[in-house]
Amino acid sequence: MEEKMITLDGQNYGIAFTTAKIDFPEYADLKSNVNRLSEEYSQFKVTPENMKEAKLTRAKLNKLKKALNDRKISIVKSIDEPVNNFKSQIKGLTKEIDKTSTNIGAQIKNYEDHAKEMREQLIMSDVAKRCQAAGVEANKIEVNPKWFNKTASYAVFEKEVQTQIDVLLREKEELAENVKVIIARAKELGLPQQHWVQMLMTGNSKLSDVLSQMSSYAEDIKAETERNERAKKEQREKLVNQNGKAIDKTTGEIVDSFQEAFLITDKGKFKLTATSHQFKQLSRFIKTAGIKCEQVRDAQ
């Protein structure tokens, strides 16, 4: 008999078993006879003369086979019964143990998850405070998941966060200087600064790229202005004033009318003669420039 001890809370519980023993002393003799019959009938041929003998031999062999199988089933069933009972007992115990262990494990996990969540909140709050104090955006800090581990080093966390904050500060200072460059260049080129500053601050363009685009844009505006001025000059040169009508010298078509206006300054009174289209352009310029313009009547 072999016995093993199971321990729970300092108390031992024994489980003993005896190895099953089956006594089959005539096995060798029976095997010899079975082998003899097998050899004897290996070349056996059934004929009308030995048909009766063949049937009797087959019946004898089948009877022996059934007897052996029945005995085997009986013995195995007898041996298996305590084993199956034991397996059922163990299964019931382990099922109950699993139920209790699973319940405890679920509560442990909930506790640990909550503790980890609290550590994450504390860490992220710490990051936000450090970034606010430094004047940088907390959402630009790349979070290392290891910061949230229970065994994580706070000193390592501090070092990694400060390293990133230092980088963000340098980038912020560099951006501020680059914005100054953009504003100065916009003023130099006579361009509105907001668009170009925004382009730089989105982070999608380098300073050199923005400056290059500004120069190209200013050159395009200058070229377009020059083309418009040439076109206007050519258009003016085509026109002649005939009794207040603006006539195209080339086609003879009346394309506009000439009008007159007077400008009185401390240096004298000036008469302005231009097409109605030119006066409309002048009116828009006066309004854009903020020059006060109002209608007056001559004194009677």
Side-chain angles (χ1 to χ4, degrees):
M1 179 179 292
E2 183 178 350
E3 185 173 3
K4 297 288 185 181
M5 303 303 293
I6 305 298
T7 303
L8 174 63
D9 293 335
Q11 184 173 348
N12 293 329
Y13 300 87
I15 301 178
F17 71 97
T18 302
T19 304
K21 183 178 180 181
I22 300 174
D23 194 7
F24 193 175
E26 289 82 13
Y27 169 74
D29 187 34
L30 180 58
K31 187 176 188 302
S32 176
N33 284 329
V34 170
N35 289 343
R36 177 181 57 77
L37 287 172
S38 178
E39 184 177 352
E40 180 181 338
Y41 284 93
S42 62
Q43 303 297 326
F44 182 77
K45 301 295 183 183
V46 178
T47 65
E49 290 76 16
N50 63 13
M51 177 66 70
K52 184 177 180 180
E53 179 189 356
K55 289 183 177 180
L56 290 173
T57 301
R58 181 186 64 177
K60 180 177 63 175
L61 292 172
N62 288 340
K63 183 178 180 180
L64 175 62
K65 175 183 176 183
K66 183 177 184 304
L68 288 170
N69 277 328
D70 288 347
R71 188 57 180 152
K72 178 197 70 174
I73 292 171
S74 174
I75 292 173
V76 170
K77 183 178 180 181
S78 176
I79 293 173
D80 281 350
E81 184 175 356
V83 172
N84 290 334
N85 288 338
F86 175 69
K87 288 168 64 176
S88 177
Q89 289 174 336
I90 297 299
K91 184 176 181 180
L93 290 171
T94 55
K95 184 177 180 180
E96 192 65 27
I97 290 170
D98 282 342
K99 178 181 177 181
T100 305
S101 177
T102 300
N103 179 45
I104 294 173
Q107 294 184 58
I108 290 173
K109 185 178 185 302
N110 288 338
Y111 176 83
E112 291 181 341
D113 288 346
H114 178 69
K116 184 178 180 181
E117 183 179 341
M118 294 302 297
R119 287 196 300 274
E120 290 182 9
Q121 291 179 5
L122 289 173
I123 287 294
M124 295 312 299
S125 176
D126 196 340
V127 170
K129 289 178 181 178
R130 291 171 184 272
C131 290
Q132 183 178 12
V136 297
E137 297 178 34
N139 59 7
K140 291 185 177 180
I141 296 294
E142 184 177 349
V143 176
N144 184 348
K146 292 183 180 179
W147 295 344
F148 307 136
N149 293 340
K150 184 165 57 176
T151 57
S153 168
Y154 188 74
V156 172
F157 156 73
E158 286 184 307
K159 182 178 179 181
E160 291 183 358
V161 172
Q162 191 57 50
T163 298
Q164 293 192 55
I165 289 176
D166 291 342
V167 171
L168 292 175
L169 285 173
R170 289 194 294 271
E171 291 177 351
K172 184 178 180 180
E173 293 172 359
E174 181 180 357
L175 179 62
E177 292 300 318
N178 290 344
V179 167
K180 291 179 182 179
V181 173
I182 293 297
I183 293 174
R185 182 59 174 163
K187 184 177 181 180
E188 180 182 342
L189 295 174
L191 299 176
Q193 65 187 35
Q194 184 176 0
H195 169 74
W196 307 105
V197 171
Q198 185 65 29
M199 181 183 292
L200 179 69
M201 295 187 70
T202 56
N204 298 327
S205 301
K206 297 179 181 178
L207 174 62
S208 57
D209 294 335
V210 177
L211 291 174
S212 176
Q213 292 185 47
M214 291 176 71
S215 297
S216 297
Y217 184 71
E219 290 174 0
D220 291 342
I221 291 178
K222 181 180 179 182
E224 179 66 20
T225 301
E226 291 176 350
R227 284 194 296 271
N228 291 337
E229 289 300 324
R230 285 196 299 271
K232 291 177 182 179
K233 182 179 179 182
E234 292 172 359
Q235 183 65 28
R236 288 195 300 270
E237 290 175 350
K238 288 181 180 180
L239 299 180
V240 293
N241 188 349
Q242 290 187 2
N243 299 322
K245 296 178 180 180
I247 299 176
D248 189 317
K249 292 189 297 184
T250 305
T251 64
E253 179 185 4
I254 299 174
V255 295
D256 204 344
S257 61
F258 279 99
Q259 298 179 3
E260 294 179 349
F262 293 91
L263 176 64
I264 301 174
T265 70
D266 56 354
K267 296 185 179 298
K269 184 177 182 180
F270 302 89
K271 183 173 77 171
L272 307 178
T273 302
T275 64
S276 60
H277 175 69
Q278 289 172 326
F279 271 119
K280 288 179 181 178
Q281 289 181 310
L282 178 60
S283 177
R284 283 196 294 269
F285 171 76
I286 290 173
K287 291 179 180 179
T288 302
I291 299 174
K292 184 178 180 180
C293 180
E294 56 184 344
Q295 185 177 3
V296 296
R297 294 181 179 180
D298 293 334
Q300 295 297 325

